[in-house]
Amino acid sequence: MATADRSHAFHGIIIHSTSLHSLTILENALLVVNPSGQIASLEASIPPDQVPTKLASLNPRPGCPVTYMPRGQFLIPGFVDTHHHAPQWLHRGQGQGLHILEWLDQVAFPNEARFQDASHAERVYSDVVCGMLRQGVTTASYYGSKHGEATKILADICLSRGQRALVGKCNMSRNAPDYYRDKDEDESLQVTLDCINHIKTIDPRGELVRHVLTPRFAICCEAKLLSGLGDIAKKYPDMPIQTHFNESEQEKNATLTLFPEFTNEADLYQHFGLLNERSILAHCTIMTDYETKRLAQLKCGVAHCPTANMTIGGGFMAAPVKEFLRNGIKVGLGTDSGGGYSSSMLNAMQHSLVASFARDYLDTRDGRAAVSFEEVFHMATLGGAQVVGFDAEVGNFEQGKEFDALVVDVTREAGGVNAPLEDDDSVRTILEKFVMTGDDRNIRSVFVKGRRVHGV
């Protein structure tokens, strides 16, 4: 890990989420990053001409650089993508109109199988990590392919490029083509353990990169494999777990046909020791009240992927996100990658709102189903950090947390396609214009742990 002095100060508009329903907007704010890349202080209402005096009183490193952000620029926490298939980067948007299991067979599996070639993995994963950082994703939970060597390459690239990440070898020993599945359960578990050891070797304290257990879903895993992964989860009590959960009607029916002793996926995964406070469950679109209550009781997290849910799978699958939040379930946003068409967290935020509006119209239960702008911003930042287990380190700008942040620029000079600013726009309006109409061209700089990893 690099140990260079990361002292820096930022002055201007600073925005972050302090709770699910609270969006904190600070004007004339001064945020100071210490040499280790942690937030030393955050204070509002400091005029620009008083910044040097204030910095001197805080006793930062002499010559600490200061970024003054004019109107139209502001600082927000880095985005957290809670569900992303890294080997699907090249085939995003392909196979629209297919149901999920047909899409896997015809599009995803053939493309993922190419990661048997380490040189292919090196080239594509370099693009993935750079592309995600460019779009402001400072933390990502990655599904790798089934290949151990390629998964280790992905972890190496995340560490070298400075992206915070969970990385997991995808376990799949059945219901996939012969050319793309583990030979048997024992091989799948052994390759997983090898990847765990590799990641613990390159980042022993898990400061940036951590391993995540990754059974693709029960359709691709026999009971013996799920049981073995549950044993690993018990052996490593801090290790996160990720899988697909109730993604579509087709997927759910196939799963319960393979495991007839269970009537729902919550009991299935819990039986094998794979549901707990470290679990990251992708999609969760078709939920019973029982399953929602079980996820809440077990403190699982949900990776909500609205773009993918509306484009692949055989239907408009709008997850009951508001119901999750009402039940106290952790929810973050995911881009999914090939299952949708976009790797943009801004798209995920926009589509989360749109899907919830549709759900609000269609849902006959008591209580509104639409999510608020504040809730969406929370899911993209602090909520996502909670889901992937990095919330003690990142997610907002609390003193002592590590500085993962984006400098956003929505001025005309930035050259993006966002709605232009007006002289009387409030800060809240400026933020909404970025979230709802901006793109990666508006992300001027990206920082992880105080280190600039993209931009100027």
Side-chain angles (χ1 to χ4, degrees):
M1 301 291 293
T3 57
D5 190 334
R6 299 182 182 185
S7 301
H8 205 125
F10 296 83
H11 182 270
I13 296 170
I14 296 177
I15 304 169
H16 67 145
S17 182
T18 50
S19 74
L20 179 60
H21 306 294
S22 299
L23 188 63
T24 299
I25 297 175
L26 305 174
E27 299 189 59
N28 276 323
L30 179 64
L31 185 149
V32 180
V33 181
N34 71 19
S36 299
Q38 296 171 311
I39 299 167
S41 65
L42 173 60
E43 188 173 340
S45 303
I46 299 175
D49 60 357
Q50 294 182 17
V51 168
T53 302
K54 185 65 179 178
L55 283 176
S57 71
L58 294 171
N59 195 32
R61 176 178 65 82
C64 172
V66 181
T67 295
Y68 290 93
M69 298 176 291
R71 176 177 167 78
Q73 293 184 8
F74 53 90
L75 194 71
I76 62 173
F79 294 139
V80 180
D81 188 337
T82 62
H83 179 70
H84 189 95
H85 287 271
Q88 295 179 5
W89 184 257
L90 295 180
H91 65 267
R92 285 172 291 156
Q94 296 180 31
Q96 297 301 304
L98 293 173
H99 284 236
I100 185 65
L101 299 184
E102 287 74 28
W103 177 82
L104 287 170
D105 284 335
Q106 297 176 37
V107 180
F109 290 160
N111 280 280
E112 291 187 27
R114 298 175 63 193
F115 286 80
Q116 175 71 34
D117 180 353
S119 63
H120 179 76
E122 182 79 39
R123 177 176 64 84
V124 177
Y125 286 157
S126 293
D127 287 346
V128 171
V129 175
C130 288
M132 295 285 273
L133 288 172
R134 185 184 70 245
Q135 295 176 98
V137 177
T138 53
T139 300
S141 187
Y142 286 124
Y143 282 60
S145 64
K146 83 170 190 74
H147 312 104
E149 187 61 30
T151 301
K152 290 186 281 188
I153 288 170
L154 175 58
D156 291 343
I157 292 172
C158 290
L159 187 64
S160 66
R161 300 292 170 86
Q163 186 182 44
R164 201 178 297 273
L166 304 182
V167 177
K169 171 257 186 297
C170 197
N171 300 103
M172 41 189 298
S173 58
R174 67 169 173 178
N175 290 324
D178 290 342
Y179 63 81
Y180 188 55
R181 65 177 179 223
D182 299 316
K183 183 176 70 173
D184 54 32
E185 300 94 330
D186 291 337
E187 180 193 69
S188 189
L189 294 170
Q190 185 54 54
V191 175
T192 297
L193 291 170
D194 184 48
C195 289
I196 291 171
N197 291 333
H198 177 79
I199 291 174
K200 286 186 175 293
T201 298
I202 63 171
D203 193 354
R205 292 180 293 182
E207 293 182 42
L208 284 185
V209 182
R210 302 172 185 175
H211 185 271
V212 53
L213 290 174
T214 309
R216 189 174 200 122
F217 52 8
I219 292 173
C220 283
C221 300
E222 293 94 341
K224 181 181 176 182
L225 178 52
L226 292 175
S227 181
L229 291 169
D231 290 340
I232 295 174
K234 189 180 298 184
K235 179 180 178 181
Y236 296 99
D238 296 326
M239 186 172 292
I241 306 157
Q242 62 182 357
T243 194
H244 297 80
F245 192 95
N246 287 3
E247 182 173 1
S248 71
E249 193 72 40
Q250 186 190 41
E251 174 270 330
K252 185 171 184 175
N253 291 340
T255 299
L256 298 181
T257 298
L258 290 167
F259 292 89
E261 64 272 35
F262 298 101
T263 60
N264 62 82
E265 292 195 11
D267 288 345
L268 189 163
Y269 287 108
Q270 195 275 334
H271 172 80
F272 291 108
L274 297 171
L275 285 194
N276 55 42
E277 70 281 358
R278 296 172 281 133
S279 301
I280 306 165
L281 305 178
H283 303 296
C284 300
T285 63
I286 303 171
M287 301 287 290
T288 64
D289 289 340
Y290 171 80
E291 288 175 304
T292 298
K293 288 184 173 62
R294 286 300 287 148
L295 297 197
Q297 291 165 354
L298 294 167
K299 301 180 180 180
C300 302
V302 170
H304 176 41
C305 306
T307 305
N309 292 343
M310 293 188 290
T311 53
I312 284 289
F316 184 88
M317 301 179 297
V321 173
K322 193 73 170 186
E323 190 67 15
F324 297 152
L325 298 177
R326 273 196 284 262
N327 279 273
I329 296 173
K330 302 170 292 189
V331 182
L333 295 180
T335 60
D336 199 0
S337 192
Y341 61 85
S342 172
S343 57
S344 167
M345 284 292 289
L346 290 174
N347 281 165
M349 295 170 78
Q350 297 155 12
H351 295 159
S352 180
L353 286 166
V354 171
S356 77
F357 299 155
R359 182 112 197 178
D360 191 48
Y361 174 75
L362 298 170
D363 206 325
T364 57
R365 291 181 296 182
D366 293 335
R368 292 203 62 193
V371 297
S372 68
F373 184 85
E374 286 80 3
E375 289 167 338
V376 167
F377 190 89
H378 182 270
M379 289 189 285
T381 55
L382 181 58
Q386 292 168 347
V387 169
V388 301
F390 269 113
D391 53 305
E393 293 86 359
V394 299
N396 62 11
F397 295 135
E398 288 182 5
Q399 185 175 340
K401 286 193 173 184
E402 296 173 0
F403 184 68
D404 286 17
L406 315 178
V407 176
V408 177
D409 186 344
V410 292
T411 62
R412 293 180 186 275
E413 291 73 23
V417 295
N418 54 279
L421 301 187
E422 295 292 309
D423 291 342
D424 59 351
D425 280 347
S426 67
V427 175
R428 169 63 179 249
T429 297
I430 294 172
L431 176 64
E432 288 185 355
K433 285 185 173 182
F434 166 62
V435 170
M436 299 307 297
T437 71
D439 60 26
D440 58 309
R441 287 170 289 184
N442 300 117
I443 299 174
R444 181 179 179 86
S445 303
V446 179
F447 294 85
V448 175
K449 203 175 181 182
R451 172 191 169 197
R452 183 184 286 109
V453 293
H454 173 76
V456 295

